[in-house]
Amino acid sequence: MDRIEFVEALKNSIAEKSAWLNSTELPKMLESYRLLHTCVHNLYDMLVKRALITPDPYKLEKKISTIQAPSDSPYIESERALVIGSRFSDYETMLDFICTYFKISVENLDLPKIKKLSELNNSFQWANMSMNNTKTNTRGLAVLLNEARQNLPAISLSLLNDSLSKSSQCITEITRILKDLTDFKREEYKFKIRLDFLQNPKFPYDSIHTPAEEISEIKKMFSALQEKIPFYSELINQISEEDFSEEKDALQLKTLELLKVRETKVEKTKESVNTKGAILDTIHILSTLSPTYSLIAEKLSENCKILEGTKNTLMNRIKRFLRKAFNMKEKPIIYRFLIEDKQKMTKVPRDVDISFFISGIERKSHFLGVIGNAASPEHKKIASSAEDAILQFVNKQISDNKETLALLTAADDYFKTTVNAASRSKIKGLKIDLVTVNNVLVKANKKRAEYVAYIEEINQMKKLGIKDE
């Protein structure tokens, strides 16, 4: 086809592919990044809890403005806990930045940013988490995870293996989408060069007869530009080949074929959908909160000790002495949290017995861990229940955990604002943990909504006398 016809075909294909990537593929990629972040966060917490890595004390103070993969340089084996702890922490923080602040869109993701994402994705090779891996970070993390497996409770071991498996799946999906996006951005770049240069009235297109001549003229126009546009020799060469080579027709068709939107059509089968399995998946998603809640309970206990330590006045010491001398029960420690009411856009005060609240978080951690274990009697009891009963259970769990999230958010604010300035740096923040809890609840809620919508569709079809074939 001639030049004008080809440019017009490119224009339509670019617009269609861009819209499809923004509406379909990139949201999938963001969802995969969120799941990856949850898995990595769970692994990080597990390693910290078992004292296998040294947590980064400056983690929350680091300001991130761009994507940067952690170093993979060699280190002294005796410093593995410190080095891998720091690098794995940076990796987890970078994933949090991508999920929370980074804009994943066709417009924002240029080729250099895609390259940075790819480098970050290769920081740890989840599909080959081996102690013999040639990559420094992967090998170091594999050694630590192998140590973590020793004497690990069954539920925690299951969570560890599940996190590794899901991380590998997420990276595979992210890599597939980034490959498609990279191909698109390369063609988009070529299209923009055609519009800015080849469609320019000053471009001597009629006097050009060979690929070399076109490349030469494009270089001249690049040198005259005031603004900086990257010059990709490989892509410029492809433009000239598509315009003047003997195989130009085949190359043009190949380019348009590359830009085609390929929707995956799922054919209906006669096999019925396992609806009970779908709602049980929601329970499994919620169970991944177990290690996060465990870590939160530890942080709250430490924060409580720090805050109460600042109140160790002479009068309080005398009161404690008298209570102990007369065998009087200790008074509960009551903190006044400010709970955000999102509907009324206000904060409502609530008095909370902090010891009871922390023990409640610990119980919740244990409970979620138990119901997430398919071999536990509790899980089997839930799985044998009717679907309506399971749905009611899921509804209650999501509601309860949303309330817990609101209380934890208020607790984080309370400790940070109430403790004196001298002890403020000792307070352990919950920001990253709260993001993890929120992401899990969002995913669980989405899974529940999909189940409810499917059940409603089946019931509606039955009312209309339509059989699901």
PDB file of all heavy atoms in Angstrom, residues 296-315:
ATOM      1  N   ILE A 296       1.519  -6.895  62.823  1.00  0.00           N
ATOM      2  CA  ILE A 296       0.876  -5.676  63.335  1.00  0.00           C
ATOM      3  C   ILE A 296       0.720  -5.759  64.853  1.00  0.00           C
ATOM      4  O   ILE A 296       0.967  -4.781  65.579  1.00  0.00           O
ATOM      5  CB  ILE A 296      -0.497  -5.467  62.656  1.00  0.00           C
ATOM      6  CG1 ILE A 296      -0.303  -5.005  61.203  1.00  0.00           C
ATOM      7  CG2 ILE A 296      -1.330  -4.448  63.419  1.00  0.00           C
ATOM      8  CD1 ILE A 296      -1.580  -4.903  60.407  1.00  0.00           C
ATOM      9  N   ALA A 297       0.303  -6.938  65.355  1.00  0.00           N
ATOM     10  CA  ALA A 297       0.125  -7.110  66.801  1.00  0.00           C
ATOM     11  C   ALA A 297       1.447  -6.882  67.541  1.00  0.00           C
ATOM     12  O   ALA A 297       1.474  -6.250  68.610  1.00  0.00           O
ATOM     13  CB  ALA A 297      -0.415  -8.510  67.096  1.00  0.00           C
ATOM     14  N   GLU A 298       2.546  -7.387  66.961  1.00  0.00           N
ATOM     15  CA  GLU A 298       3.858  -7.180  67.574  1.00  0.00           C
ATOM     16  C   GLU A 298       4.215  -5.691  67.607  1.00  0.00           C
ATOM     17  O   GLU A 298       4.714  -5.178  68.611  1.00  0.00           O
ATOM     18  CB  GLU A 298       4.924  -7.949  66.787  1.00  0.00           C
ATOM     19  CG  GLU A 298       4.844  -9.459  66.931  1.00  0.00           C
ATOM     20  CD  GLU A 298       5.922 -10.169  66.136  1.00  0.00           C
ATOM     21  OE1 GLU A 298       6.871  -9.490  65.682  1.00  0.00           O
ATOM     22  OE2 GLU A 298       5.818 -11.387  65.952  1.00  0.00           O
ATOM     23  N   LYS A 299       3.975  -5.004  66.496  1.00  0.00           N
ATOM     24  CA  LYS A 299       4.288  -3.573  66.431  1.00  0.00           C
ATOM     25  C   LYS A 299       3.448  -2.771  67.429  1.00  0.00           C
ATOM     26  O   LYS A 299       3.959  -1.861  68.102  1.00  0.00           O
ATOM     27  CB  LYS A 299       4.051  -3.048  65.014  1.00  0.00           C
ATOM     28  CG  LYS A 299       5.070  -3.530  63.990  1.00  0.00           C
ATOM     29  CD  LYS A 299       4.809  -2.896  62.633  1.00  0.00           C
ATOM     30  CE  LYS A 299       5.861  -3.304  61.611  1.00  0.00           C
ATOM     31  NZ  LYS A 299       5.623  -2.670  60.285  1.00  0.00           N
ATOM     32  N   LEU A 300       2.149  -3.106  67.533  1.00  0.00           N
ATOM     33  CA  LEU A 300       1.281  -2.395  68.468  1.00  0.00           C
ATOM     34  C   LEU A 300       1.729  -2.603  69.906  1.00  0.00           C
ATOM     35  O   LEU A 300       1.711  -1.667  70.723  1.00  0.00           O
ATOM     36  CB  LEU A 300      -0.174  -2.868  68.294  1.00  0.00           C
ATOM     37  CG  LEU A 300      -0.877  -2.434  67.007  1.00  0.00           C
ATOM     38  CD1 LEU A 300      -2.261  -3.066  66.929  1.00  0.00           C
ATOM     39  CD2 LEU A 300      -1.002  -0.915  66.934  1.00  0.00           C
ATOM     40  N   SER A 301       2.138  -3.838  70.237  1.00  0.00           N
ATOM     41  CA  SER A 301       2.614  -4.122  71.602  1.00  0.00           C
ATOM     42  C   SER A 301       3.848  -3.289  71.933  1.00  0.00           C
ATOM     43  O   SER A 301       3.960  -2.713  73.025  1.00  0.00           O
ATOM     44  CB  SER A 301       2.940  -5.613  71.745  1.00  0.00           C
ATOM     45  OG  SER A 301       1.781  -6.396  71.605  1.00  0.00           O
ATOM     46  N   GLU A 302       4.780  -3.210  70.980  1.00  0.00           N
ATOM     47  CA  GLU A 302       5.999  -2.427  71.199  1.00  0.00           C
ATOM     48  C   GLU A 302       5.667  -0.945  71.314  1.00  0.00           C
ATOM     49  O   GLU A 302       6.234  -0.239  72.165  1.00  0.00           O
ATOM     50  CB  GLU A 302       6.979  -2.675  70.043  1.00  0.00           C
ATOM     51  CG  GLU A 302       7.552  -4.085  70.026  1.00  0.00           C
ATOM     52  CD  GLU A 302       8.517  -4.304  68.879  1.00  0.00           C
ATOM     53  OE1 GLU A 302       9.181  -3.329  68.479  1.00  0.00           O
ATOM     54  OE2 GLU A 302       8.593  -5.441  68.375  1.00  0.00           O
ATOM     55  N   ASN A 303       4.766  -0.454  70.459  1.00  0.00           N
ATOM     56  CA  ASN A 303       4.378   0.962  70.524  1.00  0.00           C
ATOM     57  C   ASN A 303       3.716   1.287  71.858  1.00  0.00           C
ATOM     58  O   ASN A 303       3.924   2.367  72.429  1.00  0.00           O
ATOM     59  CB  ASN A 303       3.425   1.292  69.376  1.00  0.00           C
ATOM     60  CG  ASN A 303       4.120   1.291  68.034  1.00  0.00           C
ATOM     61  OD1 ASN A 303       5.346   1.292  67.955  1.00  0.00           O
ATOM     62  ND2 ASN A 303       3.356   1.284  66.954  1.00  0.00           N
ATOM     63  N   CYS A 304       2.909   0.338  72.338  1.00  0.00           N
ATOM     64  CA  CYS A 304       2.225   0.542  73.621  1.00  0.00           C
ATOM     65  C   CYS A 304       3.241   0.648  74.762  1.00  0.00           C
ATOM     66  O   CYS A 304       3.123   1.514  75.636  1.00  0.00           O
ATOM     67  CB  CYS A 304       1.258  -0.621  73.865  1.00  0.00           C
ATOM     68  SG  CYS A 304       0.231  -0.402  75.329  1.00  0.00           S
ATOM     69  N   LYS A 305       4.269  -0.217  74.744  1.00  0.00           N
ATOM     70  CA  LYS A 305       5.311  -0.171  75.767  1.00  0.00           C
ATOM     71  C   LYS A 305       6.057   1.159  75.735  1.00  0.00           C
ATOM     72  O   LYS A 305       6.372   1.743  76.776  1.00  0.00           O
ATOM     73  CB  LYS A 305       6.299  -1.323  75.562  1.00  0.00           C
ATOM     74  CG  LYS A 305       5.729  -2.698  75.886  1.00  0.00           C
ATOM     75  CD  LYS A 305       6.750  -3.790  75.576  1.00  0.00           C
ATOM     76  CE  LYS A 305       6.161  -5.176  75.829  1.00  0.00           C
ATOM     77  NZ  LYS A 305       7.111  -6.250  75.451  1.00  0.00           N
ATOM     78  N   ILE A 306       6.335   1.638  74.512  1.00  0.00           N
ATOM     79  CA  ILE A 306       7.049   2.913  74.368  1.00  0.00           C
ATOM     80  C   ILE A 306       6.206   4.063  74.903  1.00  0.00           C
ATOM     81  O   ILE A 306       6.694   4.916  75.663  1.00  0.00           O
ATOM     82  CB  ILE A 306       7.402   3.164  72.882  1.00  0.00           C
ATOM     83  CG1 ILE A 306       8.439   2.135  72.407  1.00  0.00           C
ATOM     84  CG2 ILE A 306       7.933   4.581  72.675  1.00  0.00           C
ATOM     85  CD1 ILE A 306       8.640   2.121  70.903  1.00  0.00           C
ATOM     86  N   LEU A 307       4.910   4.066  74.538  1.00  0.00           N
ATOM     87  CA  LEU A 307       4.029   5.152  74.983  1.00  0.00           C
ATOM     88  C   LEU A 307       3.839   5.128  76.496  1.00  0.00           C
ATOM     89  O   LEU A 307       3.897   6.176  77.148  1.00  0.00           O
ATOM     90  CB  LEU A 307       2.673   5.044  74.277  1.00  0.00           C
ATOM     91  CG  LEU A 307       1.653   6.141  74.593  1.00  0.00           C
ATOM     92  CD1 LEU A 307       2.222   7.521  74.276  1.00  0.00           C
ATOM     93  CD2 LEU A 307       0.365   5.916  73.807  1.00  0.00           C
ATOM     94  N   GLU A 308       3.623   3.938  77.055  1.00  0.00           N
ATOM     95  CA  GLU A 308       3.432   3.845  78.511  1.00  0.00           C
ATOM     96  C   GLU A 308       4.720   4.178  79.252  1.00  0.00           C
ATOM     97  O   GLU A 308       4.689   4.692  80.371  1.00  0.00           O
ATOM     98  CB  GLU A 308       2.946   2.443  78.874  1.00  0.00           C
ATOM     99  CG  GLU A 308       1.526   2.137  78.415  1.00  0.00           C
ATOM    100  CD  GLU A 308       0.523   3.172  78.882  1.00  0.00           C
ATOM    101  OE1 GLU A 308       0.421   3.397  80.102  1.00  0.00           O
ATOM    102  OE2 GLU A 308      -0.136   3.785  78.010  1.00  0.00           O
ATOM    103  N   GLY A 309       5.852   3.885  78.589  1.00  0.00           N
ATOM    104  CA  GLY A 309       7.138   4.211  79.207  1.00  0.00           C
ATOM    105  C   GLY A 309       7.326   5.703  79.391  1.00  0.00           C
ATOM    106  O   GLY A 309       8.008   6.146  80.321  1.00  0.00           O
ATOM    107  N   THR A 310       6.713   6.489  78.512  1.00  0.00           N
ATOM    108  CA  THR A 310       6.818   7.947  78.628  1.00  0.00           C
ATOM    109  C   THR A 310       5.956   8.482  79.775  1.00  0.00           C
ATOM    110  O   THR A 310       6.080   9.641  80.164  1.00  0.00           O
ATOM    111  CB  THR A 310       6.390   8.627  77.314  1.00  0.00           C
ATOM    112  OG1 THR A 310       4.999   8.343  77.060  1.00  0.00           O
ATOM    113  CG2 THR A 310       7.215   8.129  76.140  1.00  0.00           C
ATOM    114  N   LYS A 311       5.049   7.608  80.296  1.00  0.00           N
ATOM    115  CA  LYS A 311       4.166   8.037  81.390  1.00  0.00           C
ATOM    116  C   LYS A 311       4.651   7.511  82.743  1.00  0.00           C
ATOM    117  O   LYS A 311       3.901   7.485  83.719  1.00  0.00           O
ATOM    118  CB  LYS A 311       2.736   7.525  81.145  1.00  0.00           C
ATOM    119  CG  LYS A 311       2.121   7.970  79.834  1.00  0.00           C
ATOM    120  CD  LYS A 311       0.761   7.317  79.642  1.00  0.00           C
ATOM    121  CE  LYS A 311       0.133   7.673  78.297  1.00  0.00           C
ATOM    122  NZ  LYS A 311      -1.160   6.987  78.112  1.00  0.00           N
ATOM    123  N   ASN A 312       5.885   7.060  82.796  1.00  0.00           N
ATOM    124  CA  ASN A 312       6.430   6.439  84.017  1.00  0.00           C
ATOM    125  C   ASN A 312       6.816   7.493  85.058  1.00  0.00           C
ATOM    126  O   ASN A 312       7.974   7.627  85.451  1.00  0.00           O
ATOM    127  CB  ASN A 312       7.633   5.565  83.648  1.00  0.00           C
ATOM    128  CG  ASN A 312       8.019   4.634  84.774  1.00  0.00           C
ATOM    129  OD1 ASN A 312       7.179   4.279  85.602  1.00  0.00           O
ATOM    130  ND2 ASN A 312       9.280   4.254  84.799  1.00  0.00           N
ATOM    131  N   THR A 313       5.821   8.243  85.486  1.00  0.00           N
ATOM    132  CA  THR A 313       6.060   9.304  86.482  1.00  0.00           C
ATOM    133  C   THR A 313       6.092   8.707  87.895  1.00  0.00           C
ATOM    134  O   THR A 313       5.715   7.544  88.116  1.00  0.00           O
ATOM    135  CB  THR A 313       4.947  10.364  86.414  1.00  0.00           C
ATOM    136  OG1 THR A 313       3.691   9.719  86.714  1.00  0.00           O
ATOM    137  CG2 THR A 313       4.869  10.975  85.025  1.00  0.00           C
ATOM    138  N   LEU A 314       6.534   9.507  88.851  1.00  0.00           N
ATOM    139  CA  LEU A 314       6.599   9.054  90.245  1.00  0.00           C
ATOM    140  C   LEU A 314       5.217   8.660  90.747  1.00  0.00           C
ATOM    141  O   LEU A 314       5.055   7.629  91.420  1.00  0.00           O
ATOM    142  CB  LEU A 314       7.196  10.163  91.125  1.00  0.00           C
ATOM    143  CG  LEU A 314       7.253   9.862  92.634  1.00  0.00           C
ATOM    144  CD1 LEU A 314       8.134   8.633  92.894  1.00  0.00           C
ATOM    145  CD2 LEU A 314       7.775  11.085  93.390  1.00  0.00           C
ATOM    146  N   MET A 315       4.204   9.465  90.425  1.00  0.00           N
ATOM    147  CA  MET A 315       2.854   9.178  90.884  1.00  0.00           C
ATOM    148  C   MET A 315       2.350   7.852  90.313  1.00  0.00           C
ATOM    149  O   MET A 315       1.738   7.046  91.022  1.00  0.00           O
ATOM    150  CB  MET A 315       1.909  10.319  90.475  1.00  0.00           C
ATOM    151  CG  MET A 315       0.467  10.121  90.952  1.00  0.00           C
ATOM    152  SD  MET A 315       0.320   9.943  92.757  1.00  0.00           S
ATOM    153  CE  MET A 315       0.726  11.613  93.266  1.00  0.00           C
TER     154      MET A 315
END
